[in-house]
Amino acid sequence: MLIFDAVVDYIAGFDKDFRSSIEGASEQELAELEVLIGQDLPDVYRDFLAVMGRSTAWIDIQSLDFRIQTVLDYYRRDDALRVDEFLRIGSDTKDPTFNPHLQLSLVAPELKVVAFPGCNEATFAEMTARHLSQLAGSLPELFSRPAFRIFEIHGADRTPIGLLARKRVRGQVSLVDDLVASRYGLEPAFWSSAAVRGYSAPGIALEVAQLGGRSLELLLRVDDPSEQENIAAWLATQLDAEICSLSAP
């Protein structure tokens, strides 16, 4: 199974109409894009485009447009930036100078999704060194995480508990794996990346995200309110974290 078939199956488990509301790119569009960029598309990006490259339905990532037509229009331009390290995969509809890219210099298939201001070959090095920001640890994370948050963390009028760890965690999301696996039998979801982990089982869901540096943000939802408080207190002790207020989802 291709990774974005798994993404669609996951979201369709909550929204039965999701599969019929997305649309993939055509082979002709994929072939043209490969000609325009002068190389084969990364497998994970080709997979995404083939499954939902024309429409991602209600999955809305900030103000970003990931449609293949948008990417084709960009690479048809004479001033399109073509570099080995990054592949542009969309446009920011609110700030057209700050657009999403895949960071190709990383080991596939976990290619980070990043954004940086518009630039040319002369300003590329400076712009990426000073202004590059990470949007997601991978494409599957980028498109699965909204559904995870909506349906598993905040769904059914649930109120999750937030924790912020700044000290002994050292910014490594993977350090939480052993904690929750040993005590609760939870394993990271298939879409998890080095930057974000999602864990879920009947009655419990946990998201762990690296904010940068040594900070981790955790969102915990447990159906039993008293057990939710107990688990939050245990995690806070294990990770030297503090309970924090949550913003609206």
Side-chain angles (χ1 to χ4, degrees):
M1 175 184 289
L2 298 176
I3 184 62
F4 269 89
D5 287 331
V7 171
V8 172
D9 286 347
Y10 171 69
I11 300 172
F14 303 104
D15 175 7
K16 62 182 178 60
D17 296 322
F18 182 73
R19 186 174 284 103
S20 62
S21 64
I22 59 175
E23 183 180 0
S26 69
E27 282 298 324
Q28 181 178 355
E29 289 171 320
L30 296 174
E32 181 184 356
L33 182 54
E34 290 186 327
V35 170
L36 289 171
I37 66 174
Q39 60 181 313
D40 292 340
L41 293 168
D43 289 343
V44 68
Y45 184 48
R46 170 177 267 274
D47 185 16
F48 161 73
L49 290 174
V51 173
M52 49 203 306
R54 287 185 179 175
S55 174
T56 59
W58 55 263
I59 300 294
D60 186 20
I61 312 297
Q62 300 177 20
S63 57
L64 303 177
D65 177 1
F66 292 97
R67 293 175 301 162
I68 189 169
Q69 188 60 53
T70 299
V71 182
L72 287 170
D73 287 345
Y74 171 73
Y75 277 108
R76 287 169 181 156
R77 290 164 37 184
D78 292 337
D79 63 344
L81 180 66
R82 293 173 174 84
V83 292
D84 294 336
E85 299 93 332
F86 297 94
L87 174 65
R88 180 157 157 173
I89 59 172
S91 295
D92 189 325
T93 60
K94 291 186 177 180
D95 184 354
T97 64
F98 207 81
N99 300 297
H101 296 73
L102 277 184
Q103 191 169 356
L104 303 180
S105 54
L106 301 176
V107 178
E110 193 163 286
L111 306 178
K112 291 182 181 180
V113 185
V114 300
F116 54 84
C119 54
N120 53 39
E121 291 185 4
T123 60
F124 165 72
E126 178 184 1
M127 286 296 182
T128 53
R130 296 179 59 185
H131 302 292
L132 185 143
S133 62
Q134 181 169 313
L135 300 176
S138 70
L139 270 176
E141 177 213 308
L142 184 71
F143 287 95
S144 298
R145 191 181 180 192
F148 180 78
R149 281 199 156 196
I150 291 169
F151 296 110
E152 302 209 58
I153 296 292
H154 294 281
D157 296 322
R158 300 179 179 114
T159 303
I161 289 178
L163 300 97
L164 184 64
R166 291 194 179 97
K167 299 179 182 177
R168 290 184 291 123
V169 181
R170 298 180 184 276
Q172 297 297 316
V173 178
S174 59
L175 293 181
V176 182
D177 289 353
D178 290 341
L179 288 175
V180 296
S182 62
R183 181 157 178 169
Y184 297 103
L186 300 179
E187 299 292 337
F190 75 93
W191 54 263
S192 298
S193 72
V196 176
R197 294 281 204 274
Y199 311 82
S200 64
I204 183 172
L206 173 68
E207 179 189 276
V208 184
Q210 182 172 330
L211 301 182
R214 298 172 61 177
S215 298
L216 292 182
E217 181 185 70
L218 296 87
L219 293 176
L220 171 70
R221 186 276 305 162
V222 182
D223 285 349
D224 182 337
S226 61
E227 184 64 10
Q228 176 167 276
E229 292 181 4
N230 290 337
I231 296 174
W234 173 75
L235 283 169
T237 299
Q238 295 296 315
L239 300 173
D240 201 5
E242 60 185 273
I243 306 294
C244 58
S245 60
L246 297 177
S247 58

